[in-house]
Amino acid sequence: MTQAVRTTPRTARPDMTARQAIVAACVAMTAIVLLDLVDGRLDLLYSVGFVLIAVTPPMAVGVRNLFPTGVLPPVLFIVSLLLVCLFEPSAIRVEGMASDAGTFARLIAATLDHGMTLFAGCGLALVIIALRILTDEPRSRRP
C-alpha cells in the first residue's frame, strides 16, 4: 500500500459564511460593550474591541462573501452605541453635552466622540477586503 503525500503546502482557507461571521461579530461586540460598561463609561476597551471586531469578519469569510462584512462595521458601531444610549445613557459622557440630552442627541455625541474609532475600523476592514480581492487566485487554478 502506498500513500500519496501532498508536497505543496495549502494555505488556510476561510471557513465561515457571512452570516456566521456577522453573528460572531455581534456576540463579540455585545461582550465588549458589557465588559466596558462595568465602570459605567465607554472607554478605550470599546474602541480597541470595535476595531478588532471590524477587521476579523473580512478575514474569516470567502471572497464571494465579502460584501456583508464590508457593510457590517458602521452598522455594528451605530447599533452598539444606540443600545448603550437606550439602556445605559449615563455611560455616554461627552464634554459639552447637556446632562438631560435625549437618546438621539447622545447617539450623535457618542458617534462624534468615537469618530476615529469608526474611521479606523471601517478603513481597515475595507483595506483588508481590497487586499483579499486583489490577492484572490483565479478560479481556474483552484483545486
Side-chain angles (χ1 to χ4, degrees):
M1 268 201 277
T2 32
Q3 271 187 326
V5 177
R6 181 173 285 184
T7 58
T8 58
R10 271 195 161 194
T11 58
R13 282 193 263 170
D15 58 353
M16 292 181 84
T17 65
R19 180 175 291 167
Q20 290 171 335
I22 289 170
V23 169
C26 291
V27 169
M29 195 69 205
T30 302
I32 291 293
V33 168
L34 291 175
L35 284 173
D36 199 22
L37 287 178
V38 168
D39 66 349
R41 182 176 184 161
L42 287 180
D43 287 322
L44 183 64
L45 179 62
Y46 177 81
S47 298
V48 172
F50 172 76
V51 171
L52 292 175
I53 291 168
V55 300
T56 302
M59 292 188 286
V61 300
V63 175
R64 291 185 170 267
N65 297 322
L66 284 174
F67 180 75
T69 62
V71 176
L72 176 67
V75 173
L76 188 63
F77 184 80
I78 297 297
V79 168
S80 65
L81 284 180
L82 178 62
L83 291 174
V84 170
C85 290
L86 288 173
F87 295 108
E88 191 67 38
S90 62
I92 307 294
R93 297 182 194 148
V94 178
E95 188 176 325
M97 183 179 66
S99 60
D100 62 343
T103 302
F104 187 70
R106 287 186 185 279
L107 177 63
I108 297 298
T111 302
L112 293 174
D113 192 41
H114 294 281
M116 284 306 293
T117 301
L118 178 61
F119 180 75
C122 292
L124 288 173
L126 291 176
V127 166
I128 289 171
I129 289 170
L131 289 173
R132 293 278 318 276
I133 291 171
L134 291 174
T135 59
D136 185 40
E137 61 185 35
R139 288 184 71 103
S140 61
R141 293 191 308 200
R142 289 185 186 164

